[in-house]
mmCIF file of all heavy atoms in Angstrom:
data_model
loop_
_atom_site.group_PDB
_atom_site.id
_atom_site.type_symbol
_atom_site.label_atom_id
_atom_site.label_comp_id
_atom_site.label_asym_id
_atom_site.label_seq_id
_atom_site.Cartn_x
_atom_site.Cartn_y
_atom_site.Cartn_z
ATOM 1 N N ALA A 199 -30.354 120.669 -32.175
ATOM 2 C CA ALA A 199 -29.796 119.417 -31.671
ATOM 3 C C ALA A 199 -28.297 119.436 -31.945
ATOM 4 O O ALA A 199 -27.761 120.405 -32.495
ATOM 5 C CB ALA A 199 -30.430 118.212 -32.375
ATOM 6 N N THR A 200 -27.634 118.374 -31.571
ATOM 7 C CA THR A 200 -26.233 118.194 -31.945
ATOM 8 C C THR A 200 -26.174 117.228 -33.115
ATOM 9 O O THR A 200 -26.825 116.186 -33.091
ATOM 10 C CB THR A 200 -25.407 117.651 -30.765
ATOM 11 O OG1 THR A 200 -25.398 118.620 -29.724
ATOM 12 C CG2 THR A 200 -23.969 117.368 -31.184
ATOM 13 N N TYR A 201 -25.426 117.583 -34.137
ATOM 14 C CA TYR A 201 -25.313 116.769 -35.341
ATOM 15 C C TYR A 201 -23.921 116.148 -35.403
ATOM 16 O O TYR A 201 -22.911 116.844 -35.345
ATOM 17 C CB TYR A 201 -25.592 117.616 -36.583
ATOM 18 C CG TYR A 201 -27.044 118.020 -36.664
ATOM 19 C CD1 TYR A 201 -27.526 119.094 -35.914
ATOM 20 C CD2 TYR A 201 -27.941 117.306 -37.442
ATOM 21 C CE1 TYR A 201 -28.867 119.443 -35.947
ATOM 22 C CE2 TYR A 201 -29.284 117.657 -37.483
ATOM 23 C CZ TYR A 201 -29.734 118.720 -36.731
ATOM 24 O OH TYR A 201 -31.064 119.053 -36.754
ATOM 25 N N LEU A 202 -23.908 114.834 -35.495
ATOM 26 C CA LEU A 202 -22.664 114.080 -35.519
ATOM 27 C C LEU A 202 -22.452 113.480 -36.899
ATOM 28 O O LEU A 202 -23.355 112.862 -37.457
ATOM 29 C CB LEU A 202 -22.728 112.921 -34.523
ATOM 30 C CG LEU A 202 -22.813 113.252 -33.044
ATOM 31 C CD1 LEU A 202 -23.433 112.103 -32.277
ATOM 32 C CD2 LEU A 202 -21.444 113.539 -32.487
ATOM 33 N N CYS A 203 -21.256 113.658 -37.443
ATOM 34 C CA CYS A 203 -20.918 112.921 -38.650
ATOM 35 C C CYS A 203 -20.184 111.647 -38.239
ATOM 36 O O CYS A 203 -19.563 111.592 -37.177
ATOM 37 C CB CYS A 203 -20.068 113.746 -39.606
ATOM 38 S SG CYS A 203 -18.436 114.188 -38.972
ATOM 39 N N ALA A 204 -20.289 110.640 -39.066
ATOM 40 C CA ALA A 204 -19.594 109.378 -38.795
ATOM 41 C C ALA A 204 -19.200 108.764 -40.122
ATOM 42 O O ALA A 204 -19.869 108.965 -41.137
ATOM 43 C CB ALA A 204 -20.489 108.420 -38.010
ATOM 44 N N MET A 205 -18.136 108.020 -40.128
ATOM 45 C CA MET A 205 -17.690 107.402 -41.366
ATOM 46 C C MET A 205 -16.939 106.110 -41.088
ATOM 47 O O MET A 205 -16.461 105.867 -39.984
ATOM 48 C CB MET A 205 -16.838 108.363 -42.185
ATOM 49 C CG MET A 205 -15.823 109.139 -41.413
ATOM 50 S SD MET A 205 -15.278 110.609 -42.350
ATOM 51 C CE MET A 205 -16.578 111.788 -41.977
ATOM 52 N N SER A 206 -16.873 105.301 -42.120
ATOM 53 C CA SER A 206 -16.262 103.984 -41.987
ATOM 54 C C SER A 206 -15.760 103.529 -43.342
ATOM 55 O O SER A 206 -16.266 103.948 -44.377
ATOM 56 C CB SER A 206 -17.303 102.998 -41.443
ATOM 57 O OG SER A 206 -16.793 101.696 -41.425
ATOM 58 N N SER A 207 -14.780 102.648 -43.310
ATOM 59 C CA SER A 207 -14.274 102.095 -44.569
ATOM 60 C C SER A 207 -15.150 100.953 -45.063
ATOM 61 O O SER A 207 -15.078 100.558 -46.216
ATOM 62 C CB SER A 207 -12.830 101.604 -44.402
ATOM 63 O OG SER A 207 -12.755 100.653 -43.373
ATOM 64 N N GLY A 208 -15.944 100.403 -44.195
ATOM 65 C CA GLY A 208 -16.856 99.346 -44.573
ATOM 66 C C GLY A 208 -17.947 99.268 -43.547
ATOM 67 O O GLY A 208 -17.943 99.994 -42.556
ATOM 68 N N LEU A 209 -18.914 98.397 -43.757
ATOM 69 C CA LEU A 209 -19.998 98.277 -42.797
ATOM 70 C C LEU A 209 -19.865 97.046 -41.929
ATOM 71 O O LEU A 209 -20.291 97.043 -40.787
ATOM 72 C CB LEU A 209 -21.350 98.245 -43.521
ATOM 73 C CG LEU A 209 -21.808 99.565 -44.114
ATOM 74 C CD1 LEU A 209 -23.171 99.393 -44.745
ATOM 75 C CD2 LEU A 209 -21.842 100.651 -43.062
ATOM 76 N N THR A 210 -19.276 96.016 -42.468
ATOM 77 C CA THR A 210 -19.177 94.776 -41.716
ATOM 78 C C THR A 210 -17.810 94.676 -41.071
ATOM 79 O O THR A 210 -16.797 94.691 -41.758
ATOM 80 C CB THR A 210 -19.402 93.560 -42.646
ATOM 81 O OG1 THR A 210 -20.661 93.706 -43.272
ATOM 82 C CG2 THR A 210 -19.374 92.279 -41.848
ATOM 83 N N GLY A 211 -17.772 94.616 -39.753
ATOM 84 C CA GLY A 211 -16.512 94.435 -39.042
ATOM 85 C C GLY A 211 -15.624 95.653 -39.004
ATOM 86 O O GLY A 211 -14.439 95.535 -38.709
ATOM 87 N N ASN A 212 -16.154 96.820 -39.318
ATOM 88 C CA ASN A 212 -15.315 98.017 -39.311
ATOM 89 C C ASN A 212 -15.800 99.018 -38.277
ATOM 90 O O ASN A 212 -16.993 99.210 -38.096
ATOM 91 C CB ASN A 212 -15.319 98.682 -40.695
ATOM 92 C CG ASN A 212 -14.550 97.890 -41.711
ATOM 93 O OD1 ASN A 212 -15.125 97.063 -42.387
ATOM 94 N ND2 ASN A 212 -13.263 98.120 -41.782
ATOM 95 N N GLN A 213 -14.853 99.699 -37.664
ATOM 96 C CA GLN A 213 -15.194 100.706 -36.671
ATOM 97 C C GLN A 213 -15.722 101.957 -37.365
ATOM 98 O O GLN A 213 -15.284 102.304 -38.451
ATOM 99 C CB GLN A 213 -13.951 101.057 -35.863
ATOM 100 C CG GLN A 213 -14.201 102.041 -34.746
ATOM 101 C CD GLN A 213 -12.948 102.324 -33.941
ATOM 102 O OE1 GLN A 213 -12.005 101.550 -33.982
ATOM 103 N NE2 GLN A 213 -12.930 103.427 -33.228
ATOM 104 N N PHE A 214 -16.688 102.596 -36.709
ATOM 105 C CA PHE A 214 -17.157 103.889 -37.160
ATOM 106 C C PHE A 214 -16.336 104.966 -36.464
ATOM 107 O O PHE A 214 -16.049 104.864 -35.279
ATOM 108 C CB PHE A 214 -18.631 104.082 -36.792
ATOM 109 C CG PHE A 214 -19.587 103.438 -37.747
ATOM 110 C CD1 PHE A 214 -19.281 102.257 -38.394
ATOM 111 C CD2 PHE A 214 -20.818 104.008 -37.991
ATOM 112 C CE1 PHE A 214 -20.166 101.652 -39.255
ATOM 113 C CE2 PHE A 214 -21.727 103.417 -38.872
ATOM 114 C CZ PHE A 214 -21.393 102.241 -39.504
ATOM 115 N N TYR A 215 -15.985 105.999 -37.198
ATOM 116 C CA TYR A 215 -15.270 107.124 -36.621
ATOM 117 C C TYR A 215 -16.220 108.313 -36.581
ATOM 118 O O TYR A 215 -16.792 108.691 -37.609
ATOM 119 C CB TYR A 215 -14.017 107.443 -37.437
ATOM 120 C CG TYR A 215 -12.981 106.353 -37.364
ATOM 121 C CD1 TYR A 215 -13.035 105.267 -38.232
ATOM 122 C CD2 TYR A 215 -11.972 106.384 -36.410
ATOM 123 C CE1 TYR A 215 -12.103 104.247 -38.153
ATOM 124 C CE2 TYR A 215 -11.031 105.366 -36.332
ATOM 125 C CZ TYR A 215 -11.106 104.303 -37.202
ATOM 126 O OH TYR A 215 -10.192 103.291 -37.124
ATOM 127 N N PHE A 216 -16.375 108.890 -35.406
ATOM 128 C CA PHE A 216 -17.330 109.979 -35.215
ATOM 129 C C PHE A 216 -16.632 111.318 -35.102
ATOM 130 O O PHE A 216 -15.529 111.416 -34.548
ATOM 131 C CB PHE A 216 -18.147 109.756 -33.937
ATOM 132 C CG PHE A 216 -19.160 108.667 -34.052
ATOM 133 C CD1 PHE A 216 -18.824 107.357 -33.777
ATOM 134 C CD2 PHE A 216 -20.460 108.951 -34.448
ATOM 135 C CE1 PHE A 216 -19.758 106.338 -33.892
ATOM 136 C CE2 PHE A 216 -21.399 107.938 -34.560
ATOM 137 C CZ PHE A 216 -21.041 106.639 -34.288
ATOM 138 N N GLY A 217 -17.288 112.365 -35.608
ATOM 139 C CA GLY A 217 -16.877 113.711 -35.303
ATOM 140 C C GLY A 217 -17.326 114.064 -33.897
ATOM 141 O O GLY A 217 -18.067 113.309 -33.261
ATOM 142 N N THR A 218 -16.884 115.193 -33.402
ATOM 143 C CA THR A 218 -17.228 115.605 -32.038
ATOM 144 C C THR A 218 -18.642 116.150 -31.935
ATOM 145 O O THR A 218 -19.170 116.315 -30.849
ATOM 146 C CB THR A 218 -16.247 116.668 -31.525
ATOM 147 O OG1 THR A 218 -16.169 117.718 -32.498
ATOM 148 C CG2 THR A 218 -14.867 116.087 -31.316
#
Side-chain angles (χ1 to χ4, degrees):
Chain A
T200 296
Y201 291 80
L202 294 156
C203 65
M205 44 199 83
S206 174
S207 57
L209 288 182
T210 303
N212 288 91
Q213 183 178 341
F214 278 34
Y215 293 86
F216 287 88
T218 52

